[in-house]
Amino acid sequence: DTGVSQDPRHKITKRGQNVTFRCDPISEHNRLYWYRQTLGQGPEFLTYFQNEAQLEKSRLLSDRFSAERPKGSFSTLEIQRTEQGDSAMYLCASSPVRTHRTDTQYFGPGTRLTVL
Amino acid sequence: AQKVTQAQTEISVVEKEDVTLDCVYETRDTTYYLFWYKQPPSGELVFLIRRNSFDEQNEISGRYSWNFQKSTSSFNFTITASQVVDSAVYFCALSEVRYKLSFGAGTTVTVRA
């Protein structure tokens, strides 16, 4: 199986610019998750999709953040008017739907965002 | 409130020593899942193990072993005969609902040759 892929791997932008990241989940995984990881910390949950439906958003996801998964396959995460505090690693994960209450999430390599 | 606490920030050992990573969690749910992930310098989180709250059986997989104790809300991880390739940040995570993982702050393990 091909793993979760994310593009770009690194992004440097100036404060105030908009950025968009892409995540391609493992094929046939219909759940997709976004997390943010700052230096020295564990990942923090941002949002979650089941197929194309966005089912949960963390309070960390301000109005400047928007995520989509239009056809239930790949997902995009957009940050508008970036701020220096947005500098972090943005991780995407996917999981299959099985009978278990909780499914194992498999992570991509992440997109490292630096806002100057 | 922090749901997962990894009290050890950094551990440094010499190759072939054993390393035990502590993880203490907090939840009011009776059904939950615990995970360990490894994050090598490349940055990608690698899944290691998942346990559910009803299965306290300890597990050994090669040089890795896990000790789950509900009575102390702990899910500790041991690397036996450590190798340089084990150098990474290790994260413990808790899932109380099926879509969200709550991670600890991680423990950086450095194995010196």
Side-chain angles (χ1 to χ4, degrees), chain A residues 4 9 31 33 35 37 40-43 45 48 56 89 91 98 100-109, chain B residues 29 31-33 35 37 39 42-45 47 50 91 95-106:
Chain A
V4 177
R9 294 292 306 277
R31 293 201 176 115
Y33 314 79
Y35 290 80
Q37 184 180 19
Q41 299 298 318
F45 172 80
Y48 149 68
E56 183 70 21
M89 175 79 87
L91 294 164
R98 302 193 196 280
H100 299 295
R101 185 171 182 264
T102 291
D103 303 303
T104 299
Q105 296 180 24
Y106 296 91
F107 284 80
Chain B
D29 288 357
T31 301
Y32 53 89
Y33 289 76
F35 298 80
Y37 284 86
Q39 189 173 42
S42 61
E44 184 166 344
L45 279 165
F47 165 71
R50 179 181 83 186
F91 291 97
S95 178
E96 297 166 292
V97 292
R98 63 192 310 174
Y99 56 79
K100 175 181 176 180
L101 291 174
S102 297
F103 286 85

Side-chain angles (χ1 to χ4, degrees), chain B residues 8-68:
Chain B
Q8 304 147 306
T9 305
E10 295 183 28
I11 299 176
S12 181
V13 297
V14 176
E15 211 169 15
K16 298 184 182 177
E17 289 185 351
D18 296 348
V19 181
T20 294
L21 309 181
D22 298 332
C23 173
V24 174
Y25 62 92
E26 180 182 334
T27 180
R28 294 181 179 178
D29 288 357
T30 55
T31 301
Y32 53 89
Y33 289 76
L34 294 162
F35 298 80
W36 276 96
Y37 284 86
K38 173 183 179 180
Q39 189 173 42
S42 61
E44 184 166 344
L45 279 165
V46 177
F47 165 71
L48 296 176
I49 191 171
R50 179 181 83 186
R51 306 297 288 174
N52 71 55
S53 53
F54 298 108
D55 182 3
E56 287 191 74
Q57 186 174 11
N58 294 323
E59 183 168 336
I60 297 174
S61 176
R63 296 185 297 106
Y64 295 166
S65 62
W66 291 270
N67 183 355
F68 176 28

Side-chain angles (χ1 to χ4, degrees), chain A residues 24-43:
Chain A
D24 287 87
I26 295 171
S27 60
E28 299 181 356
H29 280 194
N30 62 359
R31 293 201 176 115
L32 187 147
Y33 314 79
W34 285 98
Y35 290 80
R36 181 172 69 186
Q37 184 180 19
T38 53
L39 201 61
Q41 299 298 318

